[in-house]
Amino acid sequence: MIAVNVGVILDLETLVGQMGLTCINMSLSDFYSSNPSYKTRLVLNVRDSKQDEVAAAAAALDLIKNKQVQAIIGPQGSAQADFLIHLGDKSHVPIVSFSAASPPLSSLRSPYFLRAAQIDSSQVKAISAVIQAFAWKEVVLIYVDNEFGAGIIPSLAIALEEVNTRVPYRSPISPSATDDQILQELYKLMTMQTRVFIAHVLPTLGSRLFAKAKEVGMMREGYVWILNNGITDLLSSVDSSIVASSMQGVLGIKTYIPDTPNLDNFMVRWRMKFQQENPSVHNPALNIFGYRAYDAAWALAMAVEEMGTTNFTYQMLNASTDTTDLDKIGVSQNGQKLLQELANVTFAGLTGNFRLVDGQLESTAFQIVNINGNAARGIGFWTLENGLVRDLYPFSTSIYSANIGSIIWPGDSTSVPKGWEIPTNGKRLKILVPMKHSFLQFVKVTQGHNTNTFQVTGYCIDIFQAVIEKLPYAVAYDLIPFAFIDGRNAGSTYNDMIDHVFYKNYDAVVGDTTIIANRSLYVDFTLPYTESGVAMLVPYKDNKNKNAWVFLKPLTWDLWLTTGCFFVFIALVVWILEHQINEEFGGPAAHQVGTSFWFSFSIMVFAQRERVFSNLTRFVVIVWFFVVLILTQSYTASLSSLLMLQNLQPTVADIDQLLKSGEKVGCQHRSFVHGMLKQMKFDDSRLIYYHSPEECDALLSKGSANGGIAAAFDETPYIKLVFSQYCNKYTMIPTLKTAGFGFIFPKGSPLVPDISQAILNVTEGPKMTEIENTWFPSKSNCLDSTKSISSNSLDLESFWGLFLIAGAAAVLALFIFMVMFVKKSWHEVTSSSGSLQEKIVAWGRRFYQSDLNPYTSKEARDRNTNDGGNEIAAVEALENTNFPLSLSRDFGKNNDDINNEQGTPFAEQGLSNHVDEGCPTKQ
């Protein structure tokens, strides 16, 4: 057997030191009992560092110089490890610590320092994931002011910054701080808005911190406390009365240790052995440091065995007589080889898979716990691969708080704290307002007579006050004009005010401040409370030369042509249906053509003098009436719109026209619009500033040729203000996109989300309209030129359905007429002997001939009218006639020829005489 000296440096007066030593002894005993054939045996040389850095250094020097140890397990604290790392590097002796987890130790870059523990910075991602899950934007860091506490802060701050969370304050507390000093620091924290605290302390200081926090009321509803694993891993060592009374609702990050049968068996054996070695300690509790001490000793024993039967010796250095003990230490001949073997060691340890990566234990999962009662209850996990999850399953990849178990917060609340509040004993918000000398409707600052007091009013101020009233809590604030005592403006641009917020001189800016990208790099804006964009205000064009042919524009040429064709078509259909039975459509050919066209076209303007008797004609005319009515109404509306548009034409259509014309344009003084116009290639010589709506109107009225401007550029709220006063002279043309006016707060201000929500409530309610009507009353006779006025010509596609209906009705009537005509004259034409051509000619003559009767003849209608009768009188007279009918030479003898298509008797030439003779005279 080869004995290999190994040093152990622990604070043996502490529970962690005693626990670690017991676990190291048990580890070596278990290792060699399970591997009896191994040829090496580790011999422990234990030293007590007595919680002192110098004592730890002296112990290490003694072990290296006098015992020539091949490795040192320890030290226990990060502060003690600093000197030991240099010593191990000098002597090539690996320093294996299971508890010194401070990140700055890695910066020493010594290959001989191995950390059989997870570095403290490995948990910062888990902490930031919890912060992100609940959308907290500010946290305060509380840490013990030593190597252990300060080491994690830079890494934690970076992790929080990555999830857009600010750290407005860091609170270092001395390890030896008195209760009064702790209270003083807590009172300072209470005056701040932030209510989320991350505590990186050890159990001794942590128990006192939470006891005092409970005492001053910082463990009530609304507060959030998050612990790192410095306390949660050692929670069993904290006084249970403190946990039960002062730590309820606290969240914590805890190193996750899988529960296995081997672990349970080890805990039982450890408790028995620990009680034997430390009978004065009652109810000992094993924690993560004990497990890691066990695994560290096991790994070291494996590495030494893998080295084989090497001669474990030191090479002594030649030193002069006046050198110190530090110069006389030797160099281990096997240090480099032992490092390589330790880097290759892999086994299933008590805490999971043991493997050193870059000189430290490979990071595993963290458990998220919630302290309730006397213990910490697991509510979720965090892993590097899956982030924040409820269970350790590969498919659980959500990072949202809904994927964590239920949480009981401080004050026994189940509602997620918003993470901040306005402290009742805190300072009032100092809010800057611009000192304006124009467009005072937005912000107006009035200085008191013979006093230094200011009164601030205006549209923006009223909206801000309405928004503050919508908040679910009270906010105390003071509106401070951005001006000197004598009333002069304290800055040349609005950016000067924004700088004061950026440098934390003031808490906010309230006014007509535009949300633009460059400003958002330095401050946070709320949601906009006004319309967005930059608009151009231009005069209406004086249209002295009217278009003489504007009456043709309402309809397109194809619609005009189709309408004309249908008028001709309807005239032809009416003539076909009426010329046989209606004297109005008889006579010479020219008269028939004129009457037909007159009848069709006059429908547009008045009722016709000519009457129609055929039901088919009436059907066609009624449908055509409907089509013409729709056409005329549409034409009238379109023409009215065209005439109005002709009177509302702006003098300038777009920016390109202004750039080409070389005319001058205006913008408000000290506005960012000036820079935008410069970017659009407007020269300074073409820019004229105005300071009020009245001055803007005067410049536009003059025009560019007379020393004025052709157009005014400004943000939409300003343009609307000018337009509301001079609406009949100008029109608004949207030009560029901007985000509108917003309130300004420092980056990460917790007020921004709540105020943005309140802005939505105000702008969507009647209060916004009330404020706008108060400051921007509009004239009742104004045309709403903010809406786009356009009038496109009506085309055939909009009316083809109407023409289809009218055409179908006319064709149907013609078809019915022709069927009845052919049926009526079929026998007469086909019974005659003649050629086909003669029969067709006979049909044509028959179609062209009149077919009048007493109902349709003009004389009968005139007589009935003179006697006070109507059309029915003619029929009654015919029915009382007692003479035989004598058919004229123009009619056939078939009974079917007696009636026409209206069902009335045909009248021959001179029928009226027969009626007169055969009818008795009425008395």
Side-chain angles (χ1 to χ4, degrees):
M1 295 294 177
I2 301 175
V4 180
N5 283 327
V6 172
V8 177
I9 301 177
L10 296 173
D11 299 330
L12 297 180
E13 298 177 359
T14 65
L15 179 61
V16 172
Q18 296 168 356
M19 177 195 311
L21 183 59
T22 302
C23 290
I24 291 172
N25 288 322
M26 291 181 66
S27 175
L28 296 180
S29 176
D30 293 344
F31 180 79
Y32 292 120
S33 63
S34 59
N35 302 285
S37 61
Y38 282 1
K39 298 179 180 181
T40 59
R41 293 291 185 271
L42 296 186
V43 178
L44 298 180
N45 298 269
V46 182
R47 299 290 186 270
D48 184 5
S49 56
K50 301 178 181 179
Q51 304 184 57
D52 182 74
E53 290 82 358
V54 176
L61 188 60
D62 174 62
L63 290 172
I64 293 174
K65 181 182 178 182
N66 300 322
K67 296 296 182 179
Q68 294 188 350
V69 294
Q70 299 301 309
I72 295 177
I73 299 177
Q76 186 173 320
S78 297
Q80 299 170 347
D82 199 347
F83 179 75
L84 267 67
I85 291 173
H86 292 287
L87 196 60
D89 195 40
K90 183 177 179 64
S91 60
H92 292 187
V93 174
I95 309 296
V96 184
S97 176
F98 60 84
S99 57
S102 179
L105 297 178
S106 299
S107 64
L108 299 177
R109 300 185 181 278
S110 171
Y112 289 93
F113 175 65
L114 302 175
R115 212 188 314 247
Q118 292 180 355
I119 188 172
D120 278 344
S121 58
S122 63
Q123 62 185 312
V124 299
K125 293 289 186 180
I127 296 174
S128 64
V130 174
I131 298 296
Q132 185 183 27
F134 295 102
W136 294 315
K137 295 303 181 182
E138 284 191 353
V139 299
V140 170
L141 304 182
I142 303 175
Y143 58 95
V144 57
D145 192 12
N146 60 12
E147 185 80 12
F148 164 80
I152 195 178
I153 298 303
S155 301
L156 183 56
I158 292 173
L160 293 173
E161 184 178 353
E162 290 176 353
V163 296
N164 296 321
T165 300
R166 294 177 61 251
V167 181
Y169 183 73
R170 301 179 184 184
S171 175
I173 300 178
S174 172
S176 58
T178 64
D179 289 350
D180 290 340
Q181 290 173 328
I182 294 176
L183 283 173
Q184 183 179 0
E185 187 65 21
L186 291 176
Y187 282 128
K188 183 190 298 184
L189 298 179
M190 290 182 68
T191 63
M192 302 177 184
Q193 293 183 358
T194 308
R195 290 294 179 262
V196 182
F197 305 102
I198 300 176
H200 182 61
V201 293
L202 290 173
T204 304
L205 179 61
S207 59
R208 295 169 57 211
L209 174 67
F210 281 101
K212 295 303 176 184
K214 176 71 173 179
E215 181 181 325
V216 300
M218 295 180 69
M219 296 303 297
R220 57 180 172 81
E221 183 177 356
Y223 282 83
V224 178
W225 290 87
I226 301 176
L227 297 175
N228 74 321
N229 61 4
I231 290 184
T232 52
D233 284 347
L234 305 176
L235 190 63
S236 58
S237 63
V238 180
D239 188 344
S240 60
S241 63
I242 296 294
V243 174
S245 64
S246 304
M247 299 181 66
Q248 296 301 293
V250 173
L251 294 182
I253 309 297
K254 183 180 180 181
T255 305
Y256 175 64
I257 302 174
D259 191 9
T260 62
N262 290 337
L263 186 63
D264 294 336
N265 178 54
F266 174 77
M267 290 180 65
V268 174
R269 294 191 298 114
W270 174 85
R271 185 173 288 106
M272 295 176 58
K273 184 172 180 58
F274 186 82
Q275 290 279 214
Q276 294 174 0
E277 296 176 353
N278 305 278
S280 61
V281 180
H282 301 287
N283 298 322
L286 185 62
N287 57 44
I288 186 66
F289 295 118
Y291 303 142
R292 287 176 174 166
Y294 183 95
D295 289 345
W298 188 288
L300 186 58
M302 285 184 66
V304 170
E305 181 63 27
E306 289 295 328
M307 291 175 64
T309 57
T310 304
N311 185 17
F312 295 96
T313 60
Y314 271 59
Q315 178 183 357
M316 305 308 296
L317 300 177
N318 296 324
S320 58
T321 56
D322 58 348
T323 56
T324 64
D325 288 344
L326 190 59
D327 295 325
K328 296 178 182 180
I329 62 174
V331 176
S332 174
Q333 298 299 295
N334 302 297
Q336 185 65 36
K337 187 175 182 181
L338 181 57
L339 279 179
Q340 294 175 358
E341 295 298 340
L342 283 169
N344 295 330
V345 167
T346 301
F347 63 93
L350 290 179
T351 59
N353 186 46
F354 184 96
R355 179 168 173 259
L356 296 179
V357 179
D358 295 330
Q360 59 194 21
L361 189 63
E362 185 178 25
S363 180
T364 56
F366 288 97
Q367 187 176 23
I368 315 301
V369 297
N370 182 209
I371 298 179
N372 301 125
N374 293 324
R377 174 177 56 91
I379 57 173
F381 298 89
W382 180 90
T383 64
L384 189 60
E385 297 80 15
N386 299 326
L388 202 59
V389 294
R390 185 190 296 269
D391 299 304
L392 286 177
Y393 296 120
F395 56 84
S396 299
T397 58
S398 174
I399 64 170
Y400 298 103
S401 59
N403 208 45
I404 301 178
S406 59
I407 300 174
I408 300 177
W409 303 94
D412 291 331
S413 172
T414 56
S415 300
V416 178
K418 63 183 179 181
W420 71 278
E421 65 181 27
I422 300 297
T424 56
N425 56 347
K427 65 177 183 178
R428 297 169 64 89
L429 296 181
K430 296 189 299 181
I431 299 178
L432 276 179
V433 294
M435 189 73 176
K436 296 177 65 69
H437 301 287
S438 60
F439 289 89
L440 300 180
Q441 291 88 343
F442 291 94
V443 178
K444 182 179 181 180
V445 179
T446 305
Q447 187 172 7
H449 296 290
N450 301 324
T451 64
N452 294 329
T453 60
F454 294 90
Q455 182 181 6
V456 185
T457 57
Y459 170 75
C460 300
I461 306 303
D462 283 359
I463 289 181
F464 179 73
Q465 292 173 346
V467 166
I468 293 298
E469 291 175 359
K470 288 289 185 179
L471 294 177
Y473 45 83
V475 176
Y477 62 90
D478 294 317
L479 299 177
I480 304 172
F482 189 51
F484 297 112
I485 297 178
D486 57 3
R488 291 182 297 111
N489 209 312
S492 58
T493 65
Y494 278 24
N495 289 338
D496 295 333
M497 287 193 300
I498 295 174
D499 288 341
H500 280 281
V501 175
F502 175 72
Y503 290 115
K504 305 294 180 65
N505 297 329
Y506 291 90
D507 299 306
V509 171
V510 170
D512 49 347
T513 48
T514 305
I515 304 172
I516 56 179
N518 184 51
R519 293 173 177 174
S520 65
L521 298 175
Y522 306 97
V523 293
D524 279 348
F525 285 91
T526 63
L527 289 178
Y529 58 87
T530 63
E531 293 183 53
S532 61
V534 173
M536 179 172 62
L537 190 70
V538 296
Y540 288 127
K541 185 184 297 184
D542 184 12
N543 288 307
K544 296 181 179 179
N545 299 323
K546 305 294 183 181
N547 187 353
W549 300 99
V550 70
F551 69 90
L552 294 176
K553 290 185 177 180
L555 307 182
T556 58
W557 67 269
D558 55 344
L559 184 56
W560 277 116
L561 181 61
T562 303
T563 304
C565 292
F566 258 82
F567 273 116
V568 175
F569 175 64
I570 295 300
L572 177 63
V573 171
V574 171
W575 176 79
I576 292 173
L577 298 177
E578 289 289 324
H579 78 282
Q580 288 185 331
I581 62 173
N582 194 335
E583 289 181 339
E584 299 287 351
F585 293 88
H591 179 267
Q592 294 183 40
V593 172
T595 301
S596 299
F597 282 117
W598 165 262
F599 182 88
S600 177
F601 280 90
S602 63
I603 288 177
M604 291 188 298
V605 291
F606 53 81
Q608 297 80 3
R609 175 177 59 84
E610 297 79 11
R611 298 181 62 188
V612 295
F613 298 104
S614 171
N615 288 330
L616 294 175
T617 307
R618 290 167 179 168
F619 170 67
V620 172
V621 170
I622 287 174
V623 174
W624 183 239
F625 261 124
F626 175 74
V627 173
V628 171
L629 176 65
I630 298 298
L631 282 173
T632 54
Q633 294 296 325
S634 301
Y635 173 86
T636 303
S638 181
L639 181 60
S640 300
S641 178
L642 280 171
L643 293 175
M644 178 181 292
L645 182 64
Q646 199 173 41
N647 292 328
L648 294 179
Q649 288 296 320
T651 56
V652 178
D654 53 36
I655 296 177
D656 291 336
Q657 183 180 344
L658 279 173
L659 288 171
K660 294 176 181 178
S661 66
E663 293 181 302
K664 295 180 180 180
V665 297
C667 65
Q668 192 179 167
H669 186 53
R670 297 173 59 195
S671 171
F672 80 97
V673 176
H674 173 268
M676 298 180 70
L677 292 175
K678 295 273 292 188
Q679 292 179 0
M680 290 187 288
K681 308 303 181 183
F682 282 97
D683 297 331
D684 283 330
S685 59
R686 296 176 57 189
L687 300 179
I688 298 179
Y689 298 116
Y690 56 84
H691 301 82
S692 65
E694 295 75 18
E695 189 174 352
C696 178
D697 171 58
L699 290 172
L700 286 170
S701 299
K702 287 182 180 180
S704 180
N706 300 317
I709 57 177
F713 288 88
D714 218 328
E715 293 167 88
T716 301
Y718 298 118
I719 293 295
K720 290 188 69 175
L721 174 59
V722 179
F723 180 77
S724 67
Q725 300 181 16
Y726 307 99
C727 55
N728 292 325
K729 299 172 63 177
Y730 308 111
T731 183
M732 283 176 50
I733 300 177
T735 305
L736 299 172
K737 289 291 186 181
T738 60
F741 292 165
F743 303 129
I744 295 175
F745 289 87
K747 272 286 186 183
S749 172
L751 277 171
V752 172
D754 286 354
I755 288 188
S756 295
Q757 180 63 46
I759 286 175
L760 293 178
N761 293 335
V762 171
T763 54
E764 293 174 359
K767 185 66 175 179
M768 191 69 178
T769 304
E770 178 184 334
I771 296 174
E772 288 181 347
N773 293 337
T774 301
W775 292 102
F776 310 130
S778 59
K779 297 180 180 179
S780 58
N781 60 342
C782 289
L783 294 173
D784 188 6
S785 70
T786 58
K787 297 180 179 178
S788 176
I789 300 176
S790 62
S791 180
N792 297 323
S793 298
L794 303 175
D795 54 18
L796 181 60
E797 291 183 2
S798 303
F799 297 95
W800 70 268
L802 288 174
F803 288 115
L804 179 64
I805 294 173
V811 170
L812 179 63
L814 286 175
F815 177 76
I816 295 174
F817 171 79
M818 294 305 298
V819 169
M820 297 178 65
F821 171 75
V822 170
K823 179 180 179 182
K824 181 176 63 177
S825 58
W826 177 264
H827 180 73
E828 178 183 351
V829 175
T830 56
S831 62
S832 63
S833 60
S835 63
L836 177 63
Q837 182 177 1
E838 291 175 344
K839 291 181 179 181
I840 293 175
V841 171
W843 248 325
R845 290 175 179 173
R846 180 72 183 84
F847 173 79
Y848 189 72
Q849 290 175 350
S850 297
D851 215 0
L852 302 177
N853 58 41
Y855 177 71
T856 61
S857 66
K858 187 174 184 303
E859 293 80 358
R861 287 187 281 110
D862 291 343
R863 183 175 64 252
N864 288 335
T865 302
N866 295 332
D867 293 340
N870 52 24
E871 289 84 355
I872 298 177
V875 178
E876 291 175 348
L878 185 61
E879 291 176 348
N880 294 327
T881 305
N882 298 319
F883 63 90
L885 291 175
S886 176
L887 299 178
S888 68
R889 54 183 172 82
D890 296 327
F891 289 80
K893 297 181 180 180
N894 194 295
N895 291 335
D896 294 337
D897 296 339
I898 297 177
N899 298 325
N900 64 5
E901 71 269 26
Q902 285 85 7
T904 56
F906 286 116
E908 66 175 44
Q909 202 83 344
L911 180 61
S912 58
N913 294 332
H914 291 294
V915 174
D916 292 341
E917 295 173 359
C919 293
T921 304
K922 293 183 181 180
Q923 301 297 327

